Amino acid sequence: MINRLCIIGVGLIGGSLSRALREKGFCRHVIGCGRDERHLQRARQLGVINEYSTDPANAVQGADMIVVSVPLRAMQSVFEQIDPHVPVDAVLTDVGSAKACVETAARKTLSGSLDRFVPGHPIAGTENSGVEASFAELYQGHKVILTPLEENTRETIGRVKAMWEATGANVQQMTAAHHDEVLAETSHLPHVLAFALVDTLSHMGDSDEVFQYAAGGFRDFTRIASSDPVMWRDICMENRDAILKILDRYMSDLENLREVISKSDLEMLQKIFSRAKDARDKYTQKYSS
Ligand code: NAP
């Protein structure tokens, strides 16, 4: 049970966490923090938070759990602002989509509370942003990956784990480096591809016509290209090496596919598509929740 939860960045991810914990009765009081007071007022109107402050140093006062839920490139500055003010019994975590960069930022800035900072990443989201898009069920049945620091105690990790489990999430642990490779492959690459495809089509001469006839397949494939460009810019910069590695591999496979199509190699084309269909059918059945 959390007494006073401080969420810095009350958007889709931070707002949904607060909603879920309040709905489950897992926290007594929530203070939200952000830069724009209008967003925070809206969050209070929606019942997502009880009170707010635009000053991170002030917001963390008296908190026993602090969740930093701002874009990746804003993490370090938030850590710097809160470090001298984190209560001695408070646990901190974050929700950033890449983990090695957050760990580096925390090591540079969290002098007094590094051992109580447990990095995390909920593997849940939508293409929408802001507190209006938040909802209590976002984490239900989804995974949350924690990438604990060697300085973390079992008790500290346990407090962050319990918070996420209260939202209905399934919590797992791995190293930051492994997290960043896996997420580059399963999340970051698909977002890059969706943005790239829509961008290519949108600056073709007849783009209006292309989009007019776009049907279900196009919508399914490109939904995530409606995600926040700033967030995805940050993710690409902060997980650059792992993204480049899988992008190179994908480009090479795509070159190969192009060759197969240009040669009208029906057998190979069918083989590649069948292999992909089998793999997808198998994994959607196995990991359907
Ligand atoms: P979001 O809806 O845009 O929310 C971000 C919040 O952070 C906003 O409320 C914004 O409010 C605040 N903010 C931005 N810069 C700030 C700063 N410098 N100091 C304090 N507050 C600041 O974004 P989100 O989707 O919740 O993403 C937040 C984090 O979750 C990111 O690190 C992202 O990598 C991670 N994440 C996202 C998803 C997803 O699918 N969206 C999934 C998993 C993890 P103000 O503008 O009022 O400051």
Side-chain angles (χ1 to χ4, degrees):
M1 177 88 185
I2 298 166
N3 222 3
R4 189 176 168 89
L5 171 68
C6 171
I7 301 215
I8 304 179
V10 191
L12 169 70
I13 296 298
S16 296
L17 176 61
S18 182
R19 282 181 191 269
L21 295 175
R22 298 190 79 186
E23 208 174 275
K24 301 282 176 187
F26 197 79
C27 70
R28 287 203 175 84
H29 192 89
V30 186
I31 177 159
C33 179
R35 298 162 306 177
D36 188 329
E37 198 167 346
R38 287 165 308 174
H39 297 158
L40 295 164
Q41 276 166 355
R42 185 70 187 128
R44 197 172 57 183
Q45 270 170 11
L46 290 168
V48 175
I49 55 173
N50 300 97
E51 61 170 307
Y52 65 79
S53 168
T54 51
D55 176 9
N58 179 47
V60 298
Q61 307 278 342
D64 52 343
M65 177 66 75
I66 299 164
V67 180
V68 185
S69 186
V70 300
L72 279 174
R73 293 203 135 194
M75 295 271 178
Q76 185 165 325
S77 134
V78 169
F79 292 159
E80 263 159 15
Q81 293 173 71
I82 63 174
D83 182 50
H85 309 279
V86 173
V88 288
D89 55 351
V91 168
L92 299 90
T93 187
D94 77 299
V95 298
S97 304
K99 298 276 41 102
C101 62
V102 175
E103 180 173 336
T104 303
R107 287 191 181 284
K108 276 190 199 153
T109 50
L110 293 178
S111 54
S113 51
L114 185 70
D115 59 332
R116 288 174 284 128
F117 175 65
V118 184
H121 177 206
I123 311 300
T126 72
E127 69 278 25
N128 303 314
S129 303
V131 72
E132 305 266 359
S134 65
F135 56 102
E137 301 75 25
L138 178 62
Y139 306 112
Q140 185 74 50
H142 284 265
K143 291 187 176 57
V144 170
I145 300 176
L146 302 183
T147 61
L149 309 181
E150 58 191 30
E151 291 87 344
N152 294 151
T153 62
R154 197 185 285 218
E155 193 254 333
T156 306
I157 298 167
R159 278 168 67 184
V160 177
K161 185 168 183 267
M163 174 184 77
W164 282 113
E165 283 176 348
T167 69
N170 168 8
V171 179
Q172 303 188 349
Q173 290 184 31
M174 60 179 73
T175 65
H178 187 54
H179 166 280
D180 288 358
E181 288 225 336
V182 171
L183 269 292
E185 291 159 5
T186 55
S187 169
H188 306 170
L189 177 68
H191 278 82
V192 168
L193 300 184
F195 281 124
L197 174 62
V198 178
D199 187 50
T200 299
L201 298 185
S202 70
H203 58 245
M204 281 175 26
D206 53 357
S207 64
D208 261 9
E209 191 184 20
V210 171
F211 291 122
Q212 190 183 332
Y213 292 109
F218 180 82
R219 281 179 190 272
D220 285 351
F221 188 83
T222 60
R223 175 184 61 80
I224 53 180
S226 290
S227 303
D228 181 20
V230 172
M231 179 174 121
W232 282 97
R233 176 202 67 187
D234 282 12
I235 292 171
C236 286
M237 287 303 96
E238 299 300 328
N239 198 21
R240 188 170 43 190
D241 292 350
I243 292 173
L244 289 179
K245 190 170 150 196
I246 188 63
L247 198 52
D248 286 346
R249 175 147 187 192
Y250 185 79
M251 283 165 70
S252 148
D253 283 352
L254 207 53
E255 276 293 330
N256 181 45
L257 189 57
R258 187 190 185 286
E259 185 76 11
V260 169
I261 294 172
S262 80
K263 282 189 195 147
S264 301
D265 185 342
L266 301 186
E267 202 182 319
M268 183 51 79
L269 200 52
Q270 188 171 337
K271 192 174 163 194
I272 294 170
F273 290 168
S274 299
R275 203 165 56 203
K277 176 178 163 44
D278 288 349
R280 188 176 190 281
D281 289 350
K282 205 153 85 188
Y283 92 71
T284 46
Q285 205 176 23
K286 194 167 169 193
Y287 304 108
S288 57
S289 69

